[in-house]
Amino acid sequence: MPDKAIAAPDSTAVRVALWRAMHVEVDAPPPVLDDRVGLQLAAPEEGWRRRGDMDEHRTRNFRASIVARARFIENLVVEQAGRGVGQYVILGAGLDSFAQRRPEIASSLRIFEIDQPGTQAWKRQRLIELGFGIPNGLRFVPVDFEAGESWWERLVAAGFDPARPAVVVSTGVSLYLTREANAATLRQLAALASGSTLAMTYLLPMELADPEERPGREMAEAGARASGTPFISMFAPEEMRDLARNVGFREARTISAAELAERYFAGRPDGLRPSKSEEILVATT
């Protein structure tokens, strides 16, 4: 019988990791983000690129969004580390590979990866099996959300210092939470030490999405509902900025897909561009 304490990561985390690897394999160089560690971790079956959710052409924009947000966050973390911020928190870490890909930066940080206990146990085992090991500064913070455990309490118990600035990131999570849960998370993070930064992705309402992308969005939403993880919360940019300010953040701005395209995709010969359905909130204390 399989060990329930060591559960494979959910399909969304694996899909994100495979899209990041696929970007390196099928899109024109240079890659926006060179990340194949997730592919090593997931070790998918041969022929994984023939999966329906890996269709090279149909998933172009979504794949580009995944690497765009990862590149933006990586740049943000490197910038903040250069300013002396020493704590990096990843909410819903999945198969994040920053600690493995950027050891020269990670060595100056204490990194806290928050996720479900089974996923964390699985990832720890895979990192050891692959020879990556567990860096001294990496802290796994298992939280059983279904049992109502407090991620904040577990984070502090793992050694996080609320009195010191931090970078906190949350990608691909807000859409699965209620508005009340999103507001509660933001309120908790707004109380971080002065000089802290939050980067959080959010999904635009369907009416604000690019008309060309709506069929793909509708398919994704239908698939999410069928798998028992429906999209719950979507925000207009001004809503997200207002929410962050109202719960206590000193400053809040949003990064659009167009801005990400200008930063990371200008002049690409393949015309790759991120989906216009997702944006990033950047808020500071």
Side-chain angles (χ1 to χ4, degrees):
M1 180 177 292
D3 186 350
K4 292 183 179 180
I6 301 181
D10 65 56
S11 60
T12 300
V14 172
R15 184 181 305 115
V16 166
L18 296 185
W19 274 348
R20 285 161 68 146
M22 193 173 178
H23 169 62
V24 180
E25 295 189 3
V26 306
D27 296 324
V32 174
L33 186 85
D34 191 338
D35 181 7
R36 283 165 277 202
V37 174
L39 176 61
Q40 293 177 263
L41 288 170
E45 294 181 0
E46 187 176 350
W48 62 272
R49 277 175 42 183
R50 293 194 294 272
R51 288 172 29 171
D53 60 352
M54 292 293 125
D55 184 277
E56 179 180 337
H57 302 290
R58 188 166 56 84
T59 65
R60 271 172 63 88
N61 292 351
F62 301 112
R63 185 169 73 243
S65 288
I66 294 299
V67 297
R69 74 191 192 190
R71 171 70 179 275
F72 177 86
I73 286 169
E74 186 158 310
N75 287 356
L76 176 67
V77 172
V78 172
E79 172 193 289
Q80 292 299 308
R83 294 178 177 176
V85 174
Q87 300 184 109
Y88 176 26
V89 180
I90 309 171
L91 291 169
L95 302 187
D96 187 90
S97 60
F98 179 81
Q100 289 73 47
R101 291 182 298 103
R102 301 299 303 272
E104 79 285 2
I105 303 297
S107 63
S108 69
L109 296 168
R110 181 167 289 187
I111 302 173
F112 300 88
E113 294 192 5
I114 299 176
D115 215 322
Q116 296 281 358
T119 298
Q120 297 243 300
W122 177 91
K123 185 175 182 180
R124 177 189 291 274
Q125 180 173 296
R126 287 294 292 146
L127 287 171
I128 293 170
E129 289 172 351
L130 290 168
F132 287 109
I134 311 300
N136 290 334
L138 178 59
R139 302 283 190 276
F140 288 111
V141 185
V143 180
D144 190 342
F145 296 99
E146 294 179 2
E149 288 186 351
S150 166
W151 64 267
W152 178 257
E153 290 179 2
R154 296 303 302 268
L155 177 62
V156 173
F160 179 79
D161 185 352
R164 294 172 53 220
V167 178
V168 181
V169 304
S170 173
T171 59
V173 175
S174 67
L175 69 165
Y176 298 112
L177 305 178
T178 64
R179 284 178 171 253
E180 293 75 16
N182 275 301
T185 298
L186 286 169
R187 189 173 295 109
Q188 181 74 71
L189 294 171
L192 288 169
S194 178
S196 296
T197 304
L198 165 70
M200 184 179 84
T201 62
Y202 63 95
L203 199 63
L204 294 175
M206 185 67 80
E207 63 270 19
L208 296 182
D210 189 303
E212 293 183 0
E213 294 184 4
R214 289 177 189 175
R217 269 282 299 274
E218 290 167 355
M219 287 179 59
E221 291 190 27
R225 283 194 300 273
S227 65
T229 55
F231 297 174
I232 298 173
S233 295
M234 302 168 201
F235 297 89
E238 61 272 18
E239 278 186 292
M240 185 53 78
R241 292 191 296 267
D242 288 346
L243 176 57
R245 293 180 185 123
N246 290 340
V247 299
F249 280 99
R250 180 172 52 85
E251 294 180 1
R253 60 190 174 100
T254 48
I255 309 296
S256 68
E259 184 173 344
L260 292 174
E262 184 177 345
R263 287 191 187 197
Y264 307 127
F265 296 83
R268 288 185 62 90
D270 56 3
L272 190 68
R273 293 291 184 275
S275 165
K276 297 176 183 176
S277 288
E278 183 181 79
E279 300 193 351
I280 305 173
L281 167 72
V282 180
T284 54
T285 58

